Amino acid sequence: MDLNRIAELEKFPEEDLAERIRLVRKSQGKDVCLLAHLYQRKKITELADFVGDSYGLSKSAANFEGGKYIVFAGVRFMAESARILARPEQAVLHPDPEAGCPMADMASLPQVNAAWDFLKSGPTTTPITYMNSTADIKAFCGENEGTICTSSNAMKTFEWAFQKSKRIFFLPDEHLGRNTALKFGIDPSEIAVWDPEQPDGGNPEDYEAAKVILWRGYCPVHMKFTVRDMEHVRKFYPKATILVHPECTSDVVAKADFVGSTEAIRQYVAKETKAGDQIFIGTEINLIQNLAAQYPDRMVTKLHRSLCLTMYQITMGRLLYTLENLESFERVEVPDSVQHYARLALDRMLSLQG
Ligand code: SF4
């Protein structure tokens, strides 16, 4: 990767880069499928073939007619998921291979194996990992009779896991895990936390009786929203509706008018709100700004400004460079054994969709 060339490209105004990307894309036709996550900057989402959440995007890539090259504007675990779900002959390219997800990177395979060695001697346990995890962790769940969940099907995966085991080991987002467990009716006293920094998880006396053991991981973007932010909105905008993502802490979730995945928030604004409404959202700022631009007749605004810095590492300059160097650009690779078990876990998740 020629970083000097990328630095040169970054000096051009975004509008010029957008025009050049359009021209390159036109010459490439259906060979290239450009996917953009909903948290990408607006200019990138405007240029993409598909815009959506990570799972929806990966499926789109696999089903895209043509699509010899899949360029994924998102973070690394998403590009890995696209690799796992795409057809073998498709090449997956990630414009910034350094753009990881801080939450996914909070659970490494050696740490998870160490926790599993400790927990597997207790009551029967099913591991469930959130889609926002590395391919290694997805494969760990596949190999150990577990599955993967998204923020929209987490309840179904809990139901499935409790039919076959006594406990759930939930990775890597403590908050999505707790919010799902509470919604499922599990008593807070039956929820324990595994701290990967402690050799025994930090709470060994709690694990035997726990129904859900949560990995101590979090999304820095969704941790920014507080009950104080919400009280401020309620005081000055008493008619406002507050929407939050389930990666927020449980006290924030408890006080929201609506809790849903990125896609569910988008759908809620589209279908459940009308001109003149005031809508405050607790999720990544680019999604909120894109929704605000799409619905100028209502007030769509942030609960607090929170930017995903690694999503933002995908710039217009990097995107253009990737598109201009499809043949030589580094491919996203996932070892075959990891792909096999990760795919198994993904297929289990799909069979639970209903
Ligand atoms: S918003 Fe949070 S979970 Fe999503 S990519 Fe950024 S850090 Fe990861």
Side-chain angles (χ1 to χ4, degrees), residues 303-328:
L303 190 53
H304 187 111
R305 191 175 194 283
S306 196
L307 172 77
C308 180
L309 288 170
T310 49
M311 283 278 184
Y312 211 59
Q313 278 176 231
I314 310 298
T315 58
M316 298 287 283
R318 278 190 177 270
L319 184 56
L320 177 58
Y321 179 86
T322 310
L323 291 164
E324 282 180 339
N325 294 278
L326 293 171
E327 279 300 326
S328 59

Side-chain angles (χ1 to χ4, degrees), residues 242-255:
I242 302 180
L243 321 181
V244 302
H245 193 281
E247 289 169 22
C248 295
T249 56
S250 54
D251 54 345
V252 166
V253 162
K255 288 196 170 346

